[in-house]
Amino acid sequence: SLYETGSGYYSTQRIGVNANAGGDYSLVSGGLNNTATSCYSFVGGGRNNFVNSPYTTISGGYNNSNQPVAGYSFIGGGENNNVKNSHTVVNGGRNNTAIQVAATVGGGFYNTANGAQSVIGGGRENTSIEAYSSIGGGCGNRTLGYMSTISGGERNLVLDTQSTVSGGYANKATRYGSTIGGGEFNTAGV
């Protein structure tokens, strides 16, 4: 058989790959050096992945992890991704973090979804700070406004509620409900 009983109640782990299914009803099905220490947790494969909250899944990848309060969360794969609160998702990429409740990062590199129910689709070094904000992609974009959006571009900034920057470079939406379609170095809401 390829599997054995883990240390958790009714848990299962792969034999010969340093797997640790320590949570009750947990499963580590493959990979190398993977750990599932909380109840109903799952690691599918990859290497050095660590699940430490209930009802949480890491499908694969390398060195992905979660915080103990991050129950009901998901990491699809990638490298060095982390979920820090309940119902959060990081689908893949590298060094992405979903911090607040129900935040999501689709992929890319070094993205941080810090607002509750905020979304970053991808790109690099994007940060969503406030709740219900979204960044589609691009590089170095930041949303600090509640329910704000940056579709893409580079170094765009939204500072207030329900404001939008569609793209471009170094644009700033600074007041409630302000919008910038694109271009460079534009400021809306002054």
Side-chain angles (χ1 to χ4, degrees):
S1 174
L2 297 173
Y3 295 94
E4 64 185 359
T5 301
S7 60
Y9 185 70
Y10 282 107
S11 65
T12 304
Q13 62 193 33
R14 183 76 183 252
I15 295 172
V17 293
N18 198 30
N20 177 10
D24 293 347
Y25 304 99
S26 65
L27 171 63
V28 177
S29 65
L32 182 65
N33 299 326
N34 293 313
T35 301
T37 63
S38 196
C39 64
Y40 304 101
S41 58
F42 172 76
V43 178
R47 184 175 176 192
N48 295 346
N49 295 305
F50 183 77
V51 174
N52 189 28
S53 61
Y55 302 97
T56 295
T57 294
I58 296 178
S59 296
Y62 174 73
N63 206 36
N64 297 305
S65 63
N66 69 303
Q67 300 299 315
V69 296
Y72 305 92
S73 294
F74 175 81
I75 296 177
E79 178 182 2
N80 295 324
N81 296 307
N82 189 269
V83 292
K84 296 190 174 190
N85 216 317
S86 66
H87 301 90
T88 52
V89 174
V90 174
N91 284 320
R94 184 175 69 196
N95 294 95
N96 295 308
T97 305
I99 296 175
Q100 294 299 329
V101 173
T104 299
V105 178
F109 304 103
Y110 301 98
N111 295 305
T112 303
N114 194 21
Q117 299 182 42
S118 63
V119 175
I120 297 176
R124 181 182 180 97
E125 297 173 3
N126 296 304
T127 305
S128 62
I129 301 295
E130 283 294 332
Y132 311 108
S133 61
S134 64
I135 298 174
C139 179
N141 296 305
R142 291 184 299 147
T143 58
L144 284 78
Y146 177 79
M147 295 174 51
S148 60
T149 300
I150 297 175
S151 299
E154 184 176 357
R155 294 185 150 190
N156 294 304
L157 176 63
V158 172
L159 294 173
D160 208 345
T161 301
Q162 297 180 3
S163 297
T164 301
V165 175
S166 295
Y169 179 79
N171 295 304
K172 294 179 185 176
T174 62
R175 293 279 190 254
Y176 177 89
S178 56
T179 300
I180 297 174
E184 298 180 343
F185 303 105
N186 296 302
T187 300
V190 175

